[in-house]
Amino acid sequence: FVQLDRTERIKNCQNPEFCKKLVVDYYFEKVQKLKFGVYDIDNKSFDLNDDDYLGGVECTLGQVVSSSVFTRPLELKQGKPAGKGTITISAEEIKDTRHVYLEIEAQNLDKKDFLGKSDPFLEFYKQSDAGTWQLVYRSEVVIKNNLNPCWRKFSVPLQTFCGGDFNKPIKVQCADHDSDGSHDLIGTFETSLTELQRAGDGSPVEFECIHPEKKQKKKSYKNSGIIRIKSCKIVTEYSFLDYIMGGCQINFTVGVDFTGSNGDPRSPDSLHYISPDGINEYLVAIWSVGSVVQDYDTDKLFPAFGFGAQVPPSWQVSHEFALNFNPSNPYCQGIQGIVDAYRQILPQIRLYGPTNFSPIINHVARFAAHSAQQGTASQYFVLLIITDGEITDLDQTRQAIVNASKLPMSIIIVGVGEADFKAMEFLDGDNGVLKSLTGEPAARDIVQFVPFRQFKNAPREALSQMVLAEVPKQLVSYYKWQGWPPVKPLEVKQL
């Protein structure tokens, strides 16, 4: 099993209702085995091995899709129940790519805390066809001690929010957050997307927040505060395919590590040693990733560079030399061209050091920056760095990645050999946002690191699937951030 996604963490709660939706591709023709695991997390690490496993369930996507509501007991192992816990999963098909964007504030909310005021948050529910309420969104949890909060702007897929039905009832609850999990209801109201859409252009839509018990008990009760919808917009979200079919080109660049720590290429224990059947880990990585990416690039010309070697004729150490030894035209014809250039250059250079990543990242970033100035979703850059994992210029590389995160660019690092890849995992940023030395955070997560050793015995496509899984999301996130729609082709090309 490979982890696809995980929900948010809900503190101190034995009956959690998770609001983050997990998106899975559905193939009717395949048996898609799924495993849902529930964990109790009491630390900050991303790894789940140090957390308590509360139980899980294995099923197929077909089982979930064919039940309107799928409930199963949690099991510690197959057939061994985990106490009385159950898990309920409901699924729906995403047919609509529009999102609802909302800006909301509140006024004069009831005071709930004994010493402070209230720590309010919002929950949105839609009514299912069976009449039950389903959680679709929970706002950021706490605005501390504030009876007039203004929440961050947020978005929910239209499909999730109301199933695309603008008149479907929506229930909004405002509650006071308590760290022990016993949140107090402040008030609630019902509305629909049609009503919410009336907000905007400085004229908010207001709703009275009503606490049902207080309303019954007190004749003089008016409300527990006012919730104001400042704006409600519906925006089309474009997919990776929308951009590619709209004419976006993916430009692929390869950077190969020729530092001394790889070992002498003539020695069989070197990572650069080409075996009698003509391959090594560097070549397999170039082939695996390149063969997928090349389909998205029309001219099939790929710049390829080496770093960390002494290069003839002066034998100076270079951190971005063209693999074809032609600095004015470093392009290789297709993936085969990169492979040929790599094989020819190996006997002609001396592996040396140090291992500096930042020059080649900055090199590709210059092209990406030039493309970004066009202001259209026409060019996206993917840099593949293949390395044995030692890195000398970590601080400069962090800065280079933070700068590149503002550009139409993704970086894939494949680690070969058996080294400790702690630095690469740090650059990946999966355990928190990568920051530069000065503390500037990356604008988006653009680095994907994969150790090759995990794929030694797997089919070749397994490596490319893992390595390239993030690229479509990264491309879409960049253009969405810029607000750039796909560049539509001027004429419909006949197939």
Side-chain angles (χ1 to χ4, degrees):
F1 282 101
V2 180
Q3 183 182 308
L4 283 177
D5 207 348
R6 54 172 83 170
T7 65
E8 77 278 20
R9 178 169 125 188
I10 296 181
K11 286 190 175 171
N12 298 326
C13 181
Q14 286 178 293
N15 301 299
E17 192 169 3
F18 298 101
C19 105
K20 182 178 168 187
K21 309 293 175 259
L22 312 178
V23 179
V24 182
D25 292 323
Y26 170 70
Y27 301 100
F28 173 71
E29 66 281 8
K30 278 190 196 167
V31 175
Q32 290 172 267
K33 288 191 173 162
L34 297 179
K35 182 175 181 179
F36 294 87
V38 185
Y39 291 84
D40 175 33
I41 297 181
D42 290 316
N43 56 27
K44 289 209 167 104
S45 79
F46 188 76
D47 189 8
L48 291 171
N49 289 328
D50 53 7
D51 298 305
D52 295 325
Y53 181 57
L54 300 178
V57 60
E58 286 187 30
C59 58
T60 66
L61 187 53
Q63 286 173 304
V64 176
V65 168
S66 58
S67 335
S68 54
V69 177
F70 180 84
T71 301
R72 289 288 183 278
L74 289 173
E75 296 184 329
L76 290 172
K77 285 208 278 287
Q78 209 83 40
K80 188 182 174 207
K84 292 182 179 161
T86 61
I87 184 166
T88 298
I89 303 152
S90 50
E92 60 184 3
E93 185 183 357
I94 301 173
K95 304 187 192 77
D96 197 320
T97 60
R98 291 173 296 173
H99 277 57
V100 183
Y101 280 79
L102 287 158
E103 280 185 90
I104 301 179
E105 63 185 16
Q107 287 176 328
N108 305 323
L109 293 175
D110 277 359
K111 187 173 160 183
K112 286 285 178 189
D113 290 345
F114 177 59
L115 293 169
K117 292 176 179 170
S118 281
D119 311 325
F121 68 98
L122 297 173
E123 288 184 326
F124 286 74
Y125 294 82
K126 73 171 171 201
Q127 201 165 29
S128 72
D129 296 336
T132 55
W133 292 105
Q134 230 177 0
L135 178 68
V136 295
Y137 177 78
R138 183 183 287 121
S139 73
E140 85 240 50
V141 164
V142 187
I143 296 186
K144 287 276 188 209
N145 284 331
N146 192 338
L147 302 180
N148 301 295
C150 184
W151 288 277
R152 269 201 301 260
K153 185 178 181 180
F154 65 90
S155 74
V156 185
L158 187 68
Q159 180 83 37
T160 300
F161 194 72
C162 61
D165 176 352
F166 283 52
N167 296 313
K168 191 185 268 281
I170 300 287
K171 182 168 80 171
V172 183
Q173 280 188 186
C174 181
D176 169 38
H177 182 269
D178 284 325
S179 54
D180 67 2
S182 62
H183 313 311
D184 299 317
L185 180 68
I186 293 174
T188 178
F189 64 89
E190 280 187 36
T191 179
S192 69
L193 186 52
T194 305
E195 280 188 14
L196 295 175
Q197 274 191 291
R198 295 190 188 125
D201 300 330
S203 60
V205 177
E206 297 191 345
F207 296 94
E208 286 189 292
C209 207
I210 303 292
H211 193 296
E213 286 174 19
K214 283 192 172 178
K215 191 177 180 186
Q216 276 186 332
K217 283 181 188 162
K218 285 188 189 165
K219 283 217 162 73
S220 59
Y221 175 77
K222 277 178 66 180
N223 61 46
S224 295
I226 301 286
I227 304 280
R228 303 178 68 193
I229 314 295
K230 285 161 63 181
S231 81
C232 172
K233 291 194 175 69
I234 292 177
V235 178
T236 299
E237 302 271 311
Y238 297 105
S239 70
F240 176 67
L241 279 184
D242 290 332
Y243 284 108
I244 296 299
M245 292 165 93
C248 181
Q249 290 290 315
I250 294 184
N251 300 280
F252 181 55
T253 304
V254 176
V256 178
D257 179 343
F258 289 109
T259 52
S261 51
N262 283 278
D264 182 345
R266 289 166 300 196
S267 157
D269 54 8
S270 163
L271 292 167
H272 280 296
Y273 176 74
I274 297 179
S275 67
D277 54 1
I279 59 164
N280 62 25
E281 291 186 9
Y282 280 91
L283 285 169
V284 173
I286 291 169
W287 265 120
S288 304
V289 180
S291 56
V292 175
V293 176
Q294 68 178 351
D295 290 343
Y296 298 92
D297 186 314
T298 38
D299 63 11
K300 305 280 185 280
L301 290 172
F302 303 116
F305 299 93
F307 57 91
Q310 294 176 317
V311 182
S314 64
W315 301 105
Q316 285 281 329
V317 173
S318 171
H319 295 294
E320 43 171 324
F321 57 91
L323 277 196
N324 62 6
F325 278 158
N326 183 349
S328 58
N329 183 8
Y331 295 90
C332 302
Q333 181 67 53
I335 301 306
Q336 187 62 50
I338 301 177
V339 169
D340 294 344
Y342 168 82
R343 287 190 165 132
Q344 279 163 2
I345 202 173
L346 258 183
Q348 303 180 56
I349 55 173
R350 295 179 193 150
L351 273 56
Y352 205 71
T355 310
N356 291 353
F357 279 18
S358 57
I360 193 164
I361 295 173
N362 291 331
H363 177 101
V364 175
R366 284 194 290 277
F367 287 92
H370 180 70
S371 168
Q373 284 166 355
Q374 317 297 312
T376 59
S378 55
Q379 306 268 337
Y380 194 84
F381 293 79
V382 174
L383 167 62
L384 169 66
I385 297 176
I386 313 172
T387 175
D388 71 345
E390 305 286 331
I391 180 168
T392 319
D393 66 337
L394 188 60
D395 294 338
Q396 290 89 335
T397 296
R398 280 163 66 183
Q399 187 64 57
I401 291 169
V402 168
N403 296 347
S405 71
K406 303 182 198 110
L407 298 170
M409 179 170 166
S410 290
I411 301 166
I412 292 162
I413 304 173
V414 174
V416 294
E418 298 302 320
D420 173 9
F421 290 120
K422 282 271 185 294
M424 304 299 122
E425 286 164 4
F426 169 71
L427 295 175
D428 189 316
D430 275 353
N431 297 354
V433 179
L434 179 75
K435 291 186 174 150
S436 71
L437 250 194
T438 56
E440 183 190 358
R444 12 191 290 284
D445 176 14
I446 61 165
V447 179
Q448 172 76 339
F449 165 71
V450 174
F452 186 88
R453 57 179 170 239
Q454 289 179 1
F455 296 88
K456 269 218 165 110
N457 304 315
R460 187 179 284 182
E461 59 271 18
L463 174 68
S464 56
Q465 276 174 6
M466 182 71 191
V467 167
L468 294 170
E470 306 276 328
V471 169
K473 281 188 275 196
Q474 290 169 355
L475 179 146
V476 170
S477 78
Y478 176 76
Y479 292 129
K480 180 180 170 181
W481 181 54
Q482 294 291 3
W484 296 347
V487 183
K488 291 284 184 280
L490 294 174
E491 77 286 357
V492 177
K493 297 190 178 77
Q494 292 297 317
L495 291 176

